[in-house]
Amino acid sequence: MKWIYSVSLAVSLALQPALAEELIGPHPMNAQARDAFVNQLLSQMTLDEKIGQLRLISVGPDNPKEAIRDMIHKGQVGAIFNTVTRQDIRAMQDQVMQLSRLKIPLFFAYDVVHGQRTIFPIPLGLASSWDLDAVSAVGRVSAYEAADDGLNMTWAPMVDVSREPRWGRISEGFGEDTWLSSQMGSTMVKAMQGKSAADRYAVMTSVKHFAAYGGIEGGRDYNTVDMSSQRLFQDYLPPYKASLDAGSGGVMVALNSLNGVPATADGWLLKTVLRDEWKFKGITISDHGAIKELLKHGVASDPEDAVRVALKSGIDMSMSDEYYSKYLPGLVKRGAVSMAEIDDAARHVLNVKYDMGLFNDPYSHLGPKESDPQDTNAESRLHRADARDVARKSIVLLKNRLETLPLKRAGTIALIGPLADSQRDIMGSWSAAGVAKQSVSLLQGMRNATAGKATLLYAKGANISDNKGIQDFLNLYEQAVSVDARTPQAMIDEAVEKAKQADVVVAAVGEAQGMAHEASSRSELTIPASQQKLLAALKATGKPLVIVLMNGRPLTLVNEDRMADALVETWFSGTEGGNAIADVLFGDYNPSGKLPITFPRSVGQIPLYYNHLPTGRPYNYAKPNKYTSHYYDTVNGPLYPFGYGLSYTRFSVSPVKMSAKTMPRNGTVEASVTVTNTGDRDGATVVQMYLNDPVASVSRPVRDLRGFKRIMLKAGESQTVSFKIDVDALKFWNQQMQQVAEPGTFNVMIGLDSVRTQRAQFDYL
Ligand code: BGC
């Protein structure tokens, strides 16, 4: 048996591609050998053992360690989630090997969504980098750390396209755009799975939440999703498909209903689309407790019925409920579920275990006991350089009046705000096995950046919220948010006092991480009132005001935009967040992030997304007409559009040049622009290419992202950027639900955001 020891490998994987390459050696998967092995194994298994493989459990009050030991003994459990150290994982795998009849290894899974021990920016932040190499580095490091902890599978990537900023889980996805989310999701899958999920430092991905969870009504978590087939296939399904085409071995099924049918009970979705049309061969896993929830959804009459419906609809493995184990034996006995159906589900579980290499070596992600880290949270196990690099790239500069930024490392700077000194919030939701005290707060980052050069003053200035209900909500399960006992006025007075002594004020405001999480839907998207009052008081000092936002969703920032001299969106930027933000504030890194999602002016504008359809009555601002599509109390457009983000330098984009006026049937055409850095600093930007089909058999979006390139230009430098357009870029689902590209004239728009673009045309013959 060959062990690859991991202790010395806490180095930058992103910076050492050769090393990363070596870690993920080739493992050609032989499907025939796998089928033969799994069939042989199935033939030896009892019905109970097969059903046992379908059960995925989490150790906790409902399933204490002793109970699990007993279940393992009886072959009643297939996989474990939420156990995250080698020691704990080893103990359970030992039990399988020592106690169970067939010694079928368990696999171990966890929500490694944006890092395991090292926490990277939340996915919405990762998407803001528009940098697939950076996303790939995140995937590789996360998989490395997860596998080094003994894990085999992650519940990621989350590729739920969403136009619903009220939904807290929008923070976990890659934003509103289908194409961008597809690129990000597939990149993450390839990076995490490497060449084979069996490799020492790879984990299998489980793309989620299938399907269309991001389309929930009103942004209220777990709510209904209802949409046309065109919208589903055009806008919501492609990122899952792209992630599966990239090889994801798992699919986690959504909790919501889709067009009236809960995804967990949707045989059309899980069998016709996923298996028959998309040829998915991996495993489907229900989300937490979803089989039980079929009763509340009103599609099952009793628990046994729920189990029958779920299994027959294509759910292989059940997460966190005992229903499969309890009711499947009876259902098989009376013929309501066939042995072939049980075999299919069990086969999918065994197949992925085979693909994970567990039958070769159940300890493949554990190594020998002596190699276990003495300290799971040892500093040497973190990948800080990668975290800082990616975090800098995820930051979006929204406003920079009179070049307020970058700040000088001189004089006095006042850092104010409830998020300035929070090590917990900066990690964001789903921070896996990250440890708050290892993350760098903005206060620490700015201290590091200014030490010996400038005076840094700090005051909290306000609580995250003064609303007791919200404070209690945030602190329901852990003391996540510390509430200062002083009066709001006393906190503001202290902050104003500090601000008055400073040359510039930096205010770190926004949301606590718990405000943008699962089950954290909001009906307002404002910065909480306590922080708004603080900002107004800071503004009244007359000092230049830099607002640093930390949040997990688009917020409505009309007032903040008005007040701020500079406004920086940092999302929740992870373990190295404070250093990365300081890098941007002091100009050690020139910001290059672009919004992967529209920022509305008010909640009433939602849904507001860049690739909307035209209407029959478009509003014309130059020639207003009452009977056209608009609000009379606000403008139609967003505060910050999709794709938007500033730099400390300026770029110009030339008119678009087409390689030809026509694109032949199934051929290609190329569109190019020359981008020039016209400022006096080096900088990166993202060139974006949008297409529009102005006349088709169905209305097509005013523009749709179909390409992007992140480029780095020295001051004064120019670069030609070309985009190849092929027939796939023109295709859409027509009314007959066929995917077609219709001949006609197309518009190509290229620019540095979705609004200010250069335009050209070509004809598709
Ligand atoms: C979430 C999933 C997550 C699972 C396991 C569920 O509540 O919806 O996204 O993977 O819990 O933690």
Side-chain angles (χ1 to χ4, degrees), residues 81 111 155 169 208-209 252 255 287-288 319 430 518:
F81 73 112
D111 287 280
W155 310 136
R169 302 201 77 170
K208 66 187 187 185
H209 304 82
M252 186 185 292
L255 291 164
D287 200 348
H288 206 283
M319 182 195 290
W430 296 112
E518 182 177 346

Side-chain angles (χ1 to χ4, degrees), residues 48 75 90 102 157 269 321 374 383 414 429 526 557 563 716 749:
D48 284 350
R90 181 188 309 285
L102 290 172
L269 191 65
D321 60 41
Q374 296 294 308
H383 293 85
S429 70
T526 45
L557 298 166
M563 277 193 276
M749 289 155 275

Side-chain angles (χ1 to χ4, degrees), residues 477-490:
Y477 297 112
E478 52 169 333
Q479 190 57 40
V481 167
S482 70
V483 178
D484 202 300
R486 289 175 291 169
T487 65
Q489 195 54 50

Side-chain angles (χ1 to χ4, degrees), residues 612-619 628-630 699 702:
H612 59 86
L613 299 185
T615 69
R617 295 187 178 194
Y619 185 71
T628 54
S629 181
H630 68 291
S699 283
V702 293

Side-chain angles (χ1 to χ4, degrees), residues 460-473:
K460 183 170 177 180
N463 283 315
I464 285 286
S465 168
D466 287 335
N467 181 319
K468 175 86 169 60
I470 293 177
Q471 291 171 354
D472 290 348
F473 167 79

